[in-house]
Amino acid sequence: MSDLTLRQIEKSFGRTKVLHGIDLDIRSGEFVSLLGASGCGKTTLLRIIAGLESVSGGSVSIAGRDVTELPPEKRDIAMMFQSYALLPHLTVAENVRFPLRMRRRGSREEQVAQVEKALETVQLGHLGDRMIRQLSGGQQQRVALARAIVSGPQVLLLDEPLSNLDARLREEMQVELMEIHNQLGLTTIFVTHDQEEALSLSDRVVLLNNGRIEQQGSPHAIYSAPETGFASSFLGAANLLPVAVEDGPVARLADGQELALRDEETQRGDRMLLLRQEDLKIVPATTAGALRARVAIRVYLGARYRYMLDLAGQRISLTAPNSVHVEPGEDVDLTIAPDRIRLLAR
Amino acid sequence: MTDRREAWLFLVPGLALLVLGFVLPILRMLVLSVLGPDGLTLQQFARFFQDGYYPSILWRTVRMSLVITAITAAIGFPLAYITSRVGPRLRLWLIVMVILPLMTSVVVRTFGWMVLLGRSGPLATTLRDMGLVGRSFSLMHTEAAIVLGMVQVLLPFMVLSMLGVLSRLDPRLEEAARTMGCSFLQTIRRVVLPLAMPGVVAGSLLVFTLSASSFITPSLLGGARIEVLAGSIYKSVTQTLDWNFAAAQSVILFLGLALVLIPYLRLGARHG
Amino acid sequence: MVKAVPTWLRWLAWIFVILAALLLLAPLVVVVGVSVSESQFIAFPPNGFSLKWYGNALGSREYVEAFWLSLRLAALVTLSATLIGGAAAIALSRRRGGQALETFFLSPLVIPSIIFAIGMLMLWSSLFGVTSFLALWIAHTVVALPYVLRTTLAVLAESDPFLEEAARTMGASWPRRLWHVVLPQCRPGLAAGAFFAFNISFDEAVLSLFLRNPGLNTLPVQIYGQLEFSPDPTVAAVSTMMIVLTVTLIVLLDRLLGLNRVAST
């Protein structure tokens, strides 16, 4: 049974339509990421699930109950805000207890015990009496998380909760979020613009673009088999080149170079060739079946180099280990395993 | 070090103006309050508390100021909250609605109330036509008239004090409270009101101070019988020409307000 | 704006706003109404329509003289308060720990003007025997000063503190930094402060009442005297002209600076 069902969700702000008929079913206990660039509608969708925005059309149900017309306080949800939204006039423990008090969950003693447990879960058991402004950003973030999980909501909504942390803390929190999810099994919806975050945390990634679901699936599926140019370019650094697929089968680039395809490739005509950075290899010149490109720019990254190359009139990029060393202006040959080649509709 | 010298150069005119044009007059007033025909005396203060008349004026001033402050806060808070949370166009109109009376002379606004509350004014006429009151009914020269007029005169100060704090309040906090199970009104009570407290307190103190020290509206709407402390001071200055007594009454007003203000200022200083 | 406010509460909010508007604006509306009434008695709603009371007001020596006095006073107060307050704000904004000094400069806001007015009257009487235009000018400048100071400090607090240092590295001496960097930053604050200073002085009644003498009646004092004695439609016409001036000031303030911004400081 699905825990959360969205049917044909539409949303307009004045004349601008930001969501075009979103359909989504989320299983009980699933961790789903809503991934997209800013302005794609992902936060609006989350706020609609929370009840903070009204819909222009469609319906929202939680655990089989239609909640479309219910205000947020009547929905069994919890939300963690990007800015944490901790109440500055309350202590840490009072903040975490707030949803329990408002929703009248159990006696005072039970509530206090639950607060302690939630604070232990985020490793802040010792800070219950502090005021919010006395905490660091990372600690505030944990308090917000504790406050979101303490009531054991039907649906846990996370609105870019990690975006205000520095890189090291963010990685730590990612691990912690996964552990908490495994431990509590809460149905979780996680809004992010960071594809790595989405891929590493979720059971399922929902990619949004211009108010529509572009593609959804397991992180592996969505990364390795993007269905559209947008999906491929948003997920990981990919190079896209226009090609014509001809008998052979081969893909002919704009400058006439040919790339051999797998025999199963039957469709002919104009397509887009997707070359992932990590699949491209720089090989010694004059390797048979390789593509010829010219080095434009080289960037030193420590363990690796990033190269920008000119190929068939396009700028493509790839990274290579330190052992490969070519200078700007040189010609190089590139190879890619035939089974890593993907062709998309143009 | 030119910076320091330049800073002083810029401060000197203001400091001179305040010391000579503000501190000195107030000192002069303080001196006059304890000066008698033969040296220092507290006789003027003794006179104030001699019989029940002046203490009753003082008590009326305090009582009415408290009522005015409470009503102003009760109207001001929702008005400021609505102003801080509506769209920019409506907000502009609401701000105009508050600022227009604020920037109009108190004399003119009080005149408006004299018309509204007078015997042939719209309020009395309506009530008379409904048969609720007699022919000679007038709201003028009542405490209610003073309260009504003062609330209108002072409401803008309250709204603007609260608006500053409410506009800076993060609306996400209210949304967060909603997602945690607060209804709209619970959110106001548990989140907005506690966080807006500095604005509420500042506005209330300002309104109380202005209310306790004003005499134009009370004397025009209340008439000669309903006297307040500031009106009594004005009378001592212009009618009985008893300046030492006027100074003493001013000192009593001053000390009374200081009693209210100083705890707050110290509180504010501690919290930065 | 938080969504999901119950419908009945939205309606209640609208009714409340309308009632608040009535409370705040009704006194102004009736004054305008009385001023165009044909009847010589004060009544609202007005009987008929006539502009004769405006003619009366403009033909009255007392009102016209009081108007010119108020205008002259307000103009001079605007000048002095903006200059002195602006300079003080610039100096205060760059001092660390200028808190005590700032409180001192803002104290005329906290001390009730009746107390200041009495002191002013007593001091001038003991020094010069009578009050004068100069006394009014000084008194009004003192009460207008905090407004200029506050608006200018607010603008300066938002401006980039490194601008002046940057100007320094570009070789600007302090008079040039002041002229080319500091003053342009202050301009919106100074302008708002100047508007308030003019408005406060032109409408001020308490100080003007205490410091008045037979040759020194400002317009609000003249109106007050008439109200104490016997209100007539002529005083309503004068009051309406004051309201019109206020509306003009507000429109100018909004056009030049944006009312939303001014109100939030």
Side-chain angles (χ1 to χ4, degrees):
Chain A
M1 178 190 136
S2 76
D3 223 40
L4 174 73
T5 311
L6 304 180
R7 281 288 165 267
Q8 285 300 311
I9 298 289
E10 310 256 343
K11 179 68 186 176
S12 305
F13 290 112
R15 294 227 184 102
T16 9
K17 198 159 188 186
V18 293
L19 292 175
H20 305 262
I22 302 281
D23 277 304
L24 197 60
D25 290 280
I26 293 169
R27 286 191 319 279
S28 194
E30 198 177 9
F31 194 118
V32 175
S33 293
L34 300 179
L35 175 65
S38 60
C40 72
K42 56 188 193 297
T43 296
T44 306
L45 190 58
L46 194 77
R47 290 168 57 83
I48 284 175
I49 298 170
L52 293 168
E53 299 284 354
S54 55
V55 294
S56 309
S59 69
V60 184
S61 352
I62 294 174
R65 187 168 69 124
D66 187 336
V67 297
T68 317
E69 297 301 324
L70 288 184
E73 68 268 18
K74 302 244 170 77
R75 304 182 183 197
D76 190 7
I77 49 136
M79 180 156 167
M80 185 172 163
F81 289 74
Q82 186 171 8
S83 58
Y84 312 146
L86 297 171
L87 302 173
H89 58 299
L90 301 180
T91 64
V92 167
E94 284 167 343
N95 257 286
V96 178
R97 203 181 134 211
F98 196 81
L100 298 175
R101 261 172 77 200
M102 293 301 112
R103 296 191 189 280
R104 299 212 172 78
R105 297 278 168 80
S107 67
R108 191 194 155 80
E109 290 70 33
E110 286 165 349
Q111 288 179 359
V112 170
Q114 266 176 291
V115 168
E116 257 170 41
K117 209 175 111 200
L119 283 174
E120 293 296 335
T121 311
V122 297
Q123 300 161 26
L124 285 183
H126 53 297
L127 293 181
D129 295 330
R130 293 275 181 93
M131 292 307 285
I132 297 303
R133 62 168 183 281
Q134 298 172 306
L135 302 185
S136 70
Q139 288 170 331
Q140 288 188 13
Q141 209 254 2
R142 281 160 197 270
V143 176
L145 183 59
R147 196 176 67 170
I149 61 172
V150 71
S151 62
Q154 286 272 359
V155 184
L156 174 63
L157 306 169
L158 307 172
D159 185 10
E160 307 227 12
L162 307 181
S163 62
N164 287 343
L165 300 177
D166 62 45
R168 195 179 52 80
L169 263 178
R170 195 177 324 160
E171 270 171 39
E172 248 178 67
M173 277 311 291
Q174 280 184 23
V175 174
E176 206 157 313
L177 265 181
M178 280 162 82
E179 278 176 359
I180 287 172
H181 182 249
N182 291 341
Q183 195 183 322
L184 303 176
L186 293 169
T187 309
T188 306
I189 301 178
F190 180 86
V191 161
T192 181
H193 64 267
D194 182 323
Q195 42 108 2
E196 242 176 71
E197 234 169 63
L199 294 174
S200 57
L201 287 171
S202 352
D203 299 320
R204 175 154 51 122
V205 177
V206 176
L207 182 63
L208 287 167
N209 184 28
N210 284 326
R212 290 193 174 82
I213 294 181
E214 187 86 15
Q215 189 177 349
Q216 55 175 311
S218 72
H220 178 74
I222 208 162
Y223 184 77
S224 59
E227 285 159 9
T228 63
F230 176 82
S232 61
S233 61
F234 199 86
L235 289 154
N239 302 298
L240 287 168
L241 296 167
V243 292
V245 178
E246 295 169 1
D247 286 333
V250 294
R252 186 177 299 282
L253 276 61
D255 63 349
Q257 295 196 71
E258 285 180 2
L259 183 67
L261 302 173
R262 283 179 299 177
D263 292 338
E264 304 94 81
E265 194 62 53
T266 54
Q267 209 182 328
R268 300 290 179 262
D270 289 346
R271 309 283 288 277
M272 290 298 280
L273 174 66
L274 166 66
L275 301 170
R276 288 211 175 277
Q277 289 198 8
E278 64 269 27
D279 296 336
L280 282 169
K281 284 195 181 61
I282 294 180
V283 292
T286 66
T287 306
L291 294 172
R292 172 60 57 92
R294 173 162 295 166
V295 179
I297 294 164
R298 186 181 65 195
V299 182
Y300 183 58
L301 300 178
R304 303 175 74 76
Y305 281 116
R306 164 162 292 133
Y307 289 102
M308 309 295 267
L309 308 170
D310 290 323
L311 172 63
Q314 302 262 351
R315 182 61 59 86
I316 66 167
S317 72
L318 62 88
T319 56
N322 270 345
S323 53
V324 179
H325 192 94
V326 285
E327 296 292 332
E330 271 183 62
D331 281 343
V332 291
D333 278 359
L334 303 172
T335 59
I336 180 168
D339 61 326
R340 307 296 294 177
I341 294 173
R342 288 196 55 82
L343 291 163
L344 307 170
R346 203 186 274 185
Chain B
M1 287 300 101
T2 47
D3 257 21
R4 282 199 90 85
R5 219 183 308 154
E6 175 198 341
W8 276 110
L9 201 68
F10 274 44
L11 276 177
V12 164
L15 284 175
L17 177 71
L18 281 186
V19 169
L20 296 177
F22 186 64
V23 177
L24 206 57
I26 287 176
L27 285 179
R28 173 69 194 162
M29 186 270 292
L30 291 176
V31 167
L32 224 53
S33 73
V34 290
L35 214 57
D38 15 72
L40 293 181
T41 170
L42 287 175
Q43 186 204 334
Q44 302 297 342
F45 293 92
R47 188 178 144 201
F48 188 90
F49 292 105
Q50 208 164 38
D51 58 34
Y53 181 67
Y54 289 106
S56 78
I57 288 180
L58 177 63
W59 168 236
R60 176 187 293 133
T61 307
V62 171
R63 183 165 46 84
M64 286 184 43
S65 299
L66 285 175
V67 170
I68 290 162
T69 306
I71 296 177
T72 315
I75 302 176
F77 182 77
L79 191 57
Y81 181 76
I82 292 170
T83 306
S84 71
R85 292 297 185 263
V86 294
R89 280 189 79 84
L90 188 54
R91 173 159 59 233
L92 188 67
W93 281 110
L94 289 176
I95 288 175
V96 168
M97 178 178 116
V98 170
I99 286 190
L100 177 60
L102 178 69
M103 289 178 68
T104 307
S105 182
V106 148
V107 179
V108 172
R109 282 189 277 167
T110 307
F111 179 30
W113 283 109
M114 290 169 71
V115 177
L116 278 168
L117 302 173
R119 193 163 303 166
S120 49
L123 276 177
T125 331
T126 315
L127 290 175
R128 229 183 350 257
D129 289 349
M130 288 161 72
L132 291 173
V133 295
R135 185 176 294 268
S136 62
F137 175 80
S138 162
L139 276 165
M140 281 293 283
H141 307 305
T142 62
E143 285 195 3
I146 300 181
V147 170
L148 199 54
M150 289 302 289
V151 165
Q152 192 261 353
V153 168
L154 298 177
L155 185 58
F157 290 101
M158 184 68 89
V159 172
L160 290 182
S161 297
M162 291 173 169
L163 188 60
V165 178
L166 285 170
S167 310
R168 263 169 300 186
L169 204 65
D170 183 3
R172 306 268 160 207
L173 293 177
E174 289 160 62
E175 295 185 348
R178 295 302 293 277
T179 66
M180 290 187 282
C182 281
S183 69
F184 176 76
L185 291 177
Q186 278 176 312
T187 306
I188 298 287
R189 194 162 71 86
R190 300 203 175 264
V191 177
V192 180
L193 203 54
L195 290 173
M197 228 38 198
V200 175
V201 173
S204 301
L205 286 171
L206 183 62
V207 166
F208 185 84
T209 308
L210 291 172
S211 169
S213 60
S214 61
F215 70 95
I216 290 181
T217 308
S219 69
L220 286 179
L221 296 180
R225 271 189 315 113
I226 305 174
E227 217 173 341
V228 293
L229 187 53
S232 166
I233 296 172
Y234 182 62
K235 204 171 79 181
S236 298
V237 169
T238 56
Q239 287 172 24
T240 57
L241 300 177
D242 191 346
W243 286 16
N244 295 75
F245 188 48
Q249 292 180 79
S250 303
V251 170
I252 289 167
L253 174 65
F254 191 45
L255 290 179
L257 291 174
L259 226 58
V260 179
L261 282 174
I262 285 172
Y264 170 70
L265 289 179
R266 292 179 77 183
L267 212 71
R270 201 174 315 143
H271 287 291
Chain C
M1 161 117 193
V2 179
K3 295 288 149 70
V5 178
T7 321
W8 62 270
L9 212 69
R10 280 177 189 276
W11 281 105
L12 208 66
W14 273 110
I15 294 169
F16 172 79
V17 166
I18 290 166
L19 288 178
L22 210 61
L23 173 72
L24 283 166
L25 301 178
L28 306 185
V29 174
V30 293
V31 168
V32 177
V34 169
S35 77
V36 295
S37 169
E38 267 184 34
S39 153
Q40 59 172 322
F41 301 105
I42 298 277
F44 190 88
N47 308 316
F49 180 85
S50 150
L51 291 177
K52 62 182 170 192
W53 307 114
Y54 287 87
N56 243 9
L58 295 176
S60 145
R61 235 193 65 203
E62 283 93 11
Y63 283 127
V64 173
E65 271 179 10
F67 171 77
W68 285 117
L69 174 68
S70 282
L71 192 66
R72 221 158 20 123
L73 182 61
L76 283 171
V77 167
T78 307
L79 193 72
S80 55
T82 310
L83 273 177
I84 298 173
I90 290 171
L92 281 176
S93 73
R94 48 180 71 192
R95 286 172 65 92
R96 265 168 276 274
Q99 201 60 46
L101 220 54
E102 194 182 322
T103 311
F104 177 58
F105 269 98
L106 295 179
S107 58
L109 283 181
V110 188
I111 311 266
S113 50
I114 186 171
I115 288 172
F116 173 41
I118 285 209
M120 202 68 190
L121 173 66
M122 290 169 177
L123 183 70
W124 279 74
S125 301
S126 67
L127 289 180
F128 310 105
V130 288
T131 57
S132 62
F133 184 80
L134 182 64
L136 260 186
W137 185 11
I138 290 175
H140 279 193
T141 306
V142 166
V143 291
L145 200 63
Y147 289 87
V148 179
L149 198 77
R150 259 194 356 191
T151 52
T152 312
L153 277 177
V155 170
L156 281 174
E158 276 170 31
S159 71
D160 185 347
F162 297 112
L163 276 181
E164 229 202 309
E165 289 184 6
R168 248 186 161 159
T169 66
M170 291 180 263
S173 59
W174 82 257
R176 297 180 127 241
R177 291 202 301 275
L178 185 69
W179 185 252
H180 291 288
V181 181
V182 181
L183 276 179
Q185 289 181 80
C186 293
R187 204 179 299 146
L190 287 174
F195 273 105
F196 288 131
F198 183 89
N199 181 254
I200 284 162
S201 169
F202 197 82
D203 285 350
E204 209 286 328
V206 176
L207 287 157
S208 309
L209 261 177
F210 275 88
L211 299 178
R212 76 168 153 183
N213 64 42
L216 202 65
N217 282 315
T218 65
L219 199 49
V221 168
Q222 195 69 38
I223 295 174
Y224 179 81
Q226 192 67 47
L227 294 182
E228 248 189 338
F229 173 58
S230 73
D232 62 7
T234 308
V235 78
V238 177
S239 300
T240 304
M241 289 191 261
M242 289 192 76
I243 296 174
V244 169
L245 185 71
T246 304
V247 172
T248 315
L249 273 183
I250 290 179
V251 170
L252 275 178
L253 199 63
D254 186 44
R255 282 290 124 81
L256 293 178
L257 300 161
L259 215 50
N260 251 324
R261 221 178 48 176
V262 176
S264 58
T265 50

